[in-house]
Amino acid sequence: SGQHRVPRATVKLLAPVGDPEKVICVGLNYHDHCLEQGVKVPKEPLIFSKFPSAITGPFDEIVHPQDTSELDWEVELAAVIGKRGRHIKEAAALEHVLGFTVANDVSARDWQMKRNGRQWLLGKTFDTFCPLGPAIVTREAVEDVHNLWIRCSVNGHRMQDSSTRHLIFGVPTLVAWVSRFVTLVPGDILLTGTPAGVGVFRKPPVFLKRGDEVQCEIEELGTICNRVV
């Protein structure tokens, strides 16, 4: 309605889901993101994870770890599970989704791509590496989740500008796929991948530094903005 019970400036918004059982992520899930790094489009979803302790609020600070010199941004559409399920049929998959929100899959590229046997987990799951929000927009309120513009800016400069229509695997496919392996429960968060424009594949590469401000926005879902400290 636009009629707020308290003034927005007087409150601090927390992440809409603060302690989920699972944070499930998808890699290489936009055609333009595959193109920018010169890799083949996956035939099956590439799944990894973050620990729930990575979650932080939509306007909270991103802590730049001393252990990395290659901190990067990834704006992502996140789906929030609302109904328990295993071996979910793709045709019924959206019935298990409560709604959608904006995420930033913050990544330490040196840990993701060069260290720890090139397993992605550690580079993806430092504390504060999953800003989330500003709210959950219910599934019924989103006209077409596979046709939303998705953008990321750093210090006001547009870095990512794409559309969810470029997703390789859509939300129903991902929900059905993940549920083959694990039981999805209410509150689980599914990050669906990022489009082209990340820092590591720019020429020359661009990485976040302390003092930078990262803004991630998705049409109909809202905007999150986080300062790197």
Side-chain angles (χ1 to χ4, degrees), residues 53-219:
S53 54
I55 292 174
T56 193
F59 304 106
D60 289 347
E61 294 172 336
I62 296 168
V63 177
H64 191 310
Q66 294 182 346
D67 295 300
T68 182
S69 58
E70 299 183 356
L71 193 66
D72 207 348
W73 58 84
E74 292 191 7
V75 60
E76 306 209 6
L77 166 73
V80 181
I81 299 300
K83 179 182 175 183
R84 184 184 183 94
R86 179 85 197 274
H87 299 297
I88 299 166
K89 301 296 183 185
E90 191 168 323
L94 283 180
E95 298 173 15
H96 291 261
V97 174
L98 170 67
F100 304 97
T101 193
V102 183
N104 184 354
D105 178 16
V106 182
S107 305
R109 299 300 189 187
D110 37 9
W111 282 94
Q112 178 190 359
M113 298 178 170
K114 303 170 187 173
R115 304 185 64 176
N116 196 43
R118 297 183 182 178
Q119 297 184 67
W120 289 11
L121 176 64
L122 289 184
K124 294 283 191 174
T125 203
F126 283 91
D127 289 353
T128 75
F129 270 26
C130 191
L132 203 65
I136 299 171
V137 179
T138 56
R139 182 185 76 246
E140 296 83 2
V142 179
E143 185 172 349
D144 181 1
V145 75
H146 299 109
N147 189 28
L148 304 173
W149 53 252
I150 177 170
R151 298 169 179 164
C152 177
S153 299
V154 178
N155 299 328
H157 299 287
R158 185 68 51 78
M159 296 298 190
Q160 294 179 277
D161 192 347
S162 189
S163 170
T164 57
R165 68 176 178 270
H166 299 307
L167 281 164
I168 296 166
F169 303 104
V171 175
T173 301
L174 295 174
V175 170
W177 175 262
V178 171
S179 76
R180 290 174 56 179
F181 305 92
V182 296
T183 300
L184 294 175
V185 301
D188 282 351
I189 299 170
L190 175 63
L191 274 60
T192 60
T194 199
V198 298
V200 69
F201 297 120
R202 292 179 172 266
K203 298 183 180 170
V206 177
F207 296 113
L208 295 169
K209 58 187 183 300
R210 292 175 182 87
D212 286 345
E213 189 173 84
V214 187
Q215 180 170 296
C216 297
E217 53 184 332
I218 301 178
E219 184 180 4

Side-chain angles (χ1 to χ4, degrees), residues 4-18:
H4 306 296
R5 290 183 177 273
V6 294
R8 177 70 172 269
T10 66
V11 300
K12 175 184 177 181
L13 287 184
L14 305 178
V17 182

